[in-house]
C-alpha cells in the first residue's frame, strides 16, 4: 500500500463548534484503493472529522487535500463534485422522497442522465431490496434498508472516495455483516473508503489500515490486522 | 324539460356562494403556496409575503396606468396586451423583490434563533406596507375594470362571469405548473430534498442557498400572479390589503399542513368557501370567527393540518 498515491491527506486539522475545538492537530491519509478506518469512543470526534472533510464543519487551521485539490475553504456542494461522497451518521435519508428519488438526488451533480439511469440499475442489482422498494418513501424503510439506501445514494455521485459514518449503528447483527460485505465488495470494485465506526472489531476486520481517535487526537495508527491484535486496542475498543 | 330542472332559488344562491368561495379560495391558495414553500424550506413564517402581494398589485396598476388602459371600453387587443404585460412584469417584480429580501435580510440571519428571523419578517412587512402607503396613498385606489361581467352560463340559474373564468384560467394553470415543477424537475426534487434534510442535501452537492433563492423567487412570482388576479377581480387595491389576504393565506397554509403544497391549495379553497358561506348565512361579522373557529377545531384533531406530513424520519 505504501507505493500507492495518497488520495486524501489531512494535515494538522483543527475544527469544532463555537468556542470549543473538537479536533486537535489531526492528520491522516487515505491512499487510492484503501479502506481506512477511524475507531474511537462516542464523542471522540469521528463524525466531526468526516464533516470537516466534507465541508459541513469549517476547518480552523490545517489543510485537507483531496486528489490534488485543496478542500479546506470549499463549500460542501463543491466538494461532492470533486469525487468525495458521504453516507452520513444516522443515514439522513430524505423521508418523503421515494427510494428512486433519493438515488437521483445522490447523482445531483452529474450531467449524464443515461449514466445515472444505468447506475441506479447497477445499485439495484447490488441491493435488490432497494429495487423492490423503489417507489416507497425513504422514511418508510427499515433501518438496514435505509443504510443501504444511504450508501447507494452516496455511490450515485461516482465518488473516488466514500466516507461512511457509523454504517452499523442500530442495525441487527446479520444486517451489519451484510453491510460490511458490501463495503468490501465496493472496495474491490475500486472505491476507496474512509470508515468511521464504533464497532471497531468489524471495521478493523475489513480495513487495510486504522487510526485510533481519542478526544480529538490521533493516538495511534497501524495496519488494521496489527491493531486488531494490539492488547491495548483489544482492551479499550474490543471489549476484552 | 328545462322547467323540470329549474333550480330552487335557495340552491341557486348556495351555488353562487360556492362559486365565489372557490374563486376567492384559489386566490388565497396562490398566496398560501408562497408561505408554505418558504416555511417548508427554512421554517420561516414570512410575514412580509402578504405585503409583497400588495406591492405586486400596485405595480400591476402602474402597468395599466402606463399603457393608458383604464376601462373595458379600450380596444380588446390593448386590454389583452395590458393583462399579459401585468402577468409578466408583476411576478417578475415580486420574485426579484422576494429574493432580494432573502439575500440581504434573512440569509445573514440563517443561523440565528428562529424568533430573530420572524421578527425581521414582521419588520419587512411594515417596510413594505409603508412603501405601499408612500406609493399610492392611504385611501383605496380603483383598479381598472378590464374584464366584462357577462354571465357565461346564462339560463342555468348560476352566474359565472368572464372575471370568474379569468381567475380560474390563471390560478389553475399556475398551480399545475408549480406541481409539475416541484414533482418532476431536478430543481423541484432539490427543493424537496433541502426541505426534508438540508444537511444531507448539501452532501448531495445541492447548493442550498441557491435552492432557497429559487423558493423565494417561485413563491414571490405566485404572489405576483395572485395580485394581478386580485386587482382585476376586486377592482380596488390599498396598502393594507396585504394584511388581511396574507392572514387568510397563512391560515390556509396552516390549515392544509404548513410545508405541504397541495395542503395550501386545499386550505385556500376551504377558507374561501367557508368565508363566503359564513358571510352569506351568518353575516359578514361572523365570517372571520367561523374561519378561525374551524382552523382551531381542525388543528385540535389534526395538529399537522389536513394534509400535513405524517411520515417521520427514522432515527
Amino acid at each position: 500500500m505504501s507505493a500507492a498515491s495518497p488520495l486524501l491527506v489531512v494535515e494538522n486539522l483543527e475544527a469544532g463548534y463555537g468556542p470549543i475545538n473538537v479536533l486537535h492537530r489531526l492528520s491522516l491519509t487515505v491512499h487510492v484503493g484503501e479502506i481506512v478506518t477511524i475507531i474511537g469512543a462516542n464523542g471522540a470526534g469521528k463524525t466531526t472529522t468526516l464533516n470537516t472533510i466534507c465541508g459541513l464543519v469549517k476547518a480552523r487551521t490545517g489543510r485537507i487535500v483531496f486528489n490534488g485539490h485543496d478542500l479546506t475553504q470549499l463549500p460542501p456542494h463543491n466538494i461532492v463534485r470533486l469525487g468525495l461522497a458521504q453516507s452520513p451518521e444516522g443515514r439522513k435519508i430524505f423521508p418523503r422522497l421515494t427510494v428512486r428519488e433519493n438515488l437521483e438526488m445522490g447523482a445531483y451533480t452529474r450531467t449524464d442522465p443515461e449514466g445515472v439511469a444505468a447506475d441506479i440499475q447497477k445499485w439495484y442489482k447490488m441491493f435488490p431490496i432497494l429495487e423492490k422498494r423503489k417507489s416507497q418513501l425513504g422514511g418508510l424503510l427499515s433501518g438496514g434498508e435505509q443504510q443501504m439506501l444511504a450508501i447507494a445514494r452516496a455511490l450515485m455521485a461516482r465518488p473516488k472516495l466514500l466516507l461512511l459514518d457509523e454504517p452499523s449503528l442500530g442495525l441487527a447483527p446479520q444486517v451489519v455483516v451484510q453491510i460490511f460485505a458490501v463495503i468490501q465488495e465496493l472496495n474491490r470494485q475500486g472505491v476507496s473508503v474512509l470508515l468511521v465506526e464504533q464497532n471497531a472489531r468489524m471495521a478493523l476486520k475489513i480495513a487495510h489500515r486504522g487510526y485510533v481517535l481519542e478526544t480529538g487526537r490521533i493516538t495511534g495508527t497501524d495496519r488494521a490486522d496489527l491493531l486488531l491484535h494490539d492488547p491495548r486496542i483489544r482492551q479499550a475498543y474490543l471489549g476484552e | 324539460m328545462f322547467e323540470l330542472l329549474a333550480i330552487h332559488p335557495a340552491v341557486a344562491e348556495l351555488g353562487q356562494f360556492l362559486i365565489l368561495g372557490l374563486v376567492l379560495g384559489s386566490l388565497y391558495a396562490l398566496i398560501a403556496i408562497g408561505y408554505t414553500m418558504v416555511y417548508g424550506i427554512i421554517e420561516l413564517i414570512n410575514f412580509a409575503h402578504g405585503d409583497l402581494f400588495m406591492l405586486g398589485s400596485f405595480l400591476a396598476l402602474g402597468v395599466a396606468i402606463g399603457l393608458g388602459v383604464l376601462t373595458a371600453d379600450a380596444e380588446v387587443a390593448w386590454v389583452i396586451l395590458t393583462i399579459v404585460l401585468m402577468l409578466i412584469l408583476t411576478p417578475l417584480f415580486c420574485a426579484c423583490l422576494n429574493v432580494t429580501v432573502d439575500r440581504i435580510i434573512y440569509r445573514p440571519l440563517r443561523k440565528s434563533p428562529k424568533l430573530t428571523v420572524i421578527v425581521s419578517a414582521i419588520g419587512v412587512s411594515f417596510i413594505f406596507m409603508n412603501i405601499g402607503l408612500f406609493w399610492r396613498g392611504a385611501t383605496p385606489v380603483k383598479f381598472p375594470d378590464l374584464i366584462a361581467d357577462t354571465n357565461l352560463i346564462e339560463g342555468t340559474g348560476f352566474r359565472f362571469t368572464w372575471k370568474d373564468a379569468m381567475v380560474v384560467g390563471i390560478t389553475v394553470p399556475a398551480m399545475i405548473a408549480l406541481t409539475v415543477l416541484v414533482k418532476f424537475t431536478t430543481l423541484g426534487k432539490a427543493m424537496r430534498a433541502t426541505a426534508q434534510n438540508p444537511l444531507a442535501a448539501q452532501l448531495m452537492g445541492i447548493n442550498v442557498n441557491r435552492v432557497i433563492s429559487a423558493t423565494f423567487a417561485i413563491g414571490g412570482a405566485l404572489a405576483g400572479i395572485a395580485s394581478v388576479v386580485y386587482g382585476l377581480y376586486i377592482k380596488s387595491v390599498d396598502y393594507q390589503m396585504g394584511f388581511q389576504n396574507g392572514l387568510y393565506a397563512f391560515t390556509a397554509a396552516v390549515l392544509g399542513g404548513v410545508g405541504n403544497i397541495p395542503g395550501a391549495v386545499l386550505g385556500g379553497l376551504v377558507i374561501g368557501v367557508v368565508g363566503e358561506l359564513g358571510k352569506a348565512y351568518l353575516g359578514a361579522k361572523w365570517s372571520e370567527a367561523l374561519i378561525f373557529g374551524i382552523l382551531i377545531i381542525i388543528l385540535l384533531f389534526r395538529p399537522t393540518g389536513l394534509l400535513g406530513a405524517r411520515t417521520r424520519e427514522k432515527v
Side-chain angles (χ1 to χ4, degrees):
Chain A
M1 276 304 149
S2 56
S5 48
L7 183 58
L8 176 76
V9 179
V10 176
E11 282 174 351
N12 294 320
L13 189 65
E14 308 231 331
Y17 311 94
I20 299 155
N21 253 5
V22 175
L23 305 180
H24 306 281
R25 302 186 68 78
L26 182 141
S27 299
L28 61 85
T29 306
V30 179
H31 296 105
V32 175
E34 268 189 321
I35 300 180
V36 173
T37 183
I38 305 175
I39 59 173
N42 234 344
K46 302 189 298 290
T47 295
T48 305
T49 305
L50 291 195
N51 283 346
T52 311
I53 294 170
C54 285
L56 290 174
V57 176
K58 279 273 156 280
R60 290 182 177 159
T61 56
R63 236 155 63 95
I64 304 164
V65 179
F66 172 71
N67 205 21
H69 301 274
D70 189 335
L71 306 185
T72 321
Q73 295 307 322
L74 287 184
H77 58 263
N78 287 344
I79 290 176
V80 186
R81 282 163 215 276
L82 299 174
L84 200 158
Q86 188 188 166
S87 160
E89 185 186 28
R91 308 179 277 265
K92 298 195 170 53
I93 291 305
F94 301 114
R96 275 163 281 120
L97 295 189
T98 64
V99 167
R100 196 190 160 91
E101 285 173 333
N102 266 282
L103 292 174
E104 287 170 359
M105 280 297 105
Y108 183 78
T109 53
R110 290 173 58 181
T111 50
D112 56 328
E114 300 86 13
V116 170
D119 277 9
I120 289 179
Q121 294 309 321
K122 178 176 164 193
W123 302 124
Y124 278 165
K125 278 216 183 68
M126 188 145 198
F127 306 101
I129 191 69
L130 295 185
E131 181 162 30
K132 248 173 95 182
R133 304 232 187 279
K134 63 185 173 192
S135 308
Q136 278 189 21
L137 296 184
L140 299 175
L141 301 187
S142 73
E145 291 163 358
Q146 285 194 354
Q147 188 58 59
M148 292 181 204
L149 179 56
I151 294 174
R153 187 180 64 174
L155 290 166
M156 286 302 298
R158 285 204 178 156
K160 295 182 182 74
L161 176 64
L162 177 65
L163 308 186
L164 292 170
D165 196 346
E166 302 277 9
S168 75
L169 196 74
L171 301 184
Q174 319 87 285
V175 183
V176 175
V177 170
Q178 205 185 341
I179 298 266
F180 276 72
V182 164
I183 297 169
Q184 270 189 307
E185 173 56 31
L186 291 170
N187 180 248
R188 269 194 288 275
Q189 293 179 14
V191 183
S192 308
V193 177
L194 179 56
L195 167 68
V196 150
E197 259 297 343
Q198 277 192 71
N199 189 337
R201 187 186 307 274
M202 288 294 290
L204 290 172
K205 270 186 187 155
I206 66 162
H208 301 104
R209 290 189 302 117
Y211 290 88
V212 182
L213 188 63
E214 283 174 33
T215 55
R217 289 181 176 79
I218 299 286
T219 56
T221 176
D222 212 332
R223 271 170 41 197
D225 54 339
L226 297 178
L227 286 175
L228 202 51
H229 295 103
D230 181 327
R232 205 174 60 96
I233 302 293
R234 292 181 79 90
Q235 199 204 350
Y237 298 106
L238 305 176
E240 287 174 19
Chain B
M1 186 70 192
F2 276 105
E3 278 94 286
L4 287 176
L5 287 175
I7 294 161
H8 192 276
V11 177
E13 201 184 49
L14 174 66
Q16 206 48 58
F17 292 129
L18 282 175
I19 291 174
L20 189 58
L22 288 172
V23 163
L24 286 175
S26 50
L27 261 177
Y28 297 144
L30 268 195
I31 312 174
I33 290 170
Y35 276 105
T36 224
M37 285 176 75
V38 165
Y39 183 86
I41 212 149
I42 55 173
E43 288 179 22
L44 164 68
I45 301 164
N46 183 9
F47 282 107
H49 194 68
D51 304 287
L52 181 77
F53 158 82
M54 175 272 295
L55 289 180
S57 75
F58 282 15
L59 184 89
L61 177 59
V63 172
I65 294 172
L67 292 173
V69 180
L70 298 171
T71 60
D73 303 336
E75 239 179 281
V76 180
W78 273 102
V79 170
I80 292 173
L81 177 73
T82 307
I83 295 175
V84 168
L85 261 183
M86 282 178 181
L87 284 173
I88 294 170
L89 294 178
T90 312
L92 206 63
F93 166 74
C94 289
C96 292
L97 189 56
N98 218 19
V99 170
T100 309
V101 167
D102 173 56
R103 279 298 291 269
I104 63 178
I105 297 171
Y106 303 145
R107 189 189 288 186
L109 298 173
R110 208 79 90 206
K111 294 199 166 76
S112 313
K114 295 260 146 56
L115 194 60
T116 314
V117 196
I118 289 178
V119 170
S120 312
I122 295 173
V124 175
S125 164
F126 278 113
I127 292 170
F128 279 2
M129 221 190 282
N130 279 285
I131 291 174
L133 179 62
F134 184 74
W135 192 353
R136 301 263 181 230
T139 48
V141 189
K142 199 177 153 315
F143 198 96
D145 186 5
L146 298 180
I147 296 174
D149 285 312
T150 330
N151 189 1
L152 296 173
I153 45 175
E154 203 70 66
T156 57
F158 298 113
R159 266 178 74 76
F160 187 80
T161 66
W162 276 113
K163 274 203 183 69
D164 298 317
M166 177 271 299
V167 176
V168 176
I170 294 175
T171 57
V172 172
M175 288 186 250
I176 291 173
L178 177 80
T179 309
V180 169
L181 187 145
V182 170
K183 220 168 161 48
F184 300 110
T185 67
T186 304
L187 172 64
K189 286 176 199 169
M191 287 167 74
R192 285 187 286 149
T194 305
Q196 293 170 29
N197 197 326
L199 212 83
Q202 290 184 333
L203 290 178
M204 301 300 109
I206 295 171
N207 182 340
V208 167
N209 271 328
R210 198 175 294 167
V211 169
I212 294 171
S213 288
T215 308
F216 272 91
I218 293 167
L222 292 177
I225 293 171
S227 74
V228 173
V229 174
Y230 180 94
L232 292 169
Y233 194 79
I234 307 287
K235 296 166 295 185
S236 166
V237 291
D238 67 275
Y239 81 105
Q240 288 179 315
M241 66 186 243
F243 178 73
Q244 192 186 23
N245 291 292
L247 187 64
Y248 278 6
F250 171 64
T251 309
V254 175
L255 187 65
V258 75
N260 182 306
I261 292 171
V265 174
L266 179 65
L269 295 178
V270 168
I271 285 183
V273 169
V274 168
E276 282 314 302
L277 293 182
K279 247 184 240 166
Y281 296 109
L282 299 174
K285 59 181 185 295
W286 289 105
S287 170
E288 285 185 25
L290 185 67
I291 288 176
F292 290 98
I294 286 181
L295 174 76
I296 290 168
I297 291 169
I298 288 180
L299 290 186
L300 277 177
F301 291 100
R302 285 192 66 89
T304 53
L306 291 171
L307 302 182
R310 270 154 292 168
T311 38
R312 282 272 157 261
E313 198 176 352
K314 283 195 181 172
V315 184

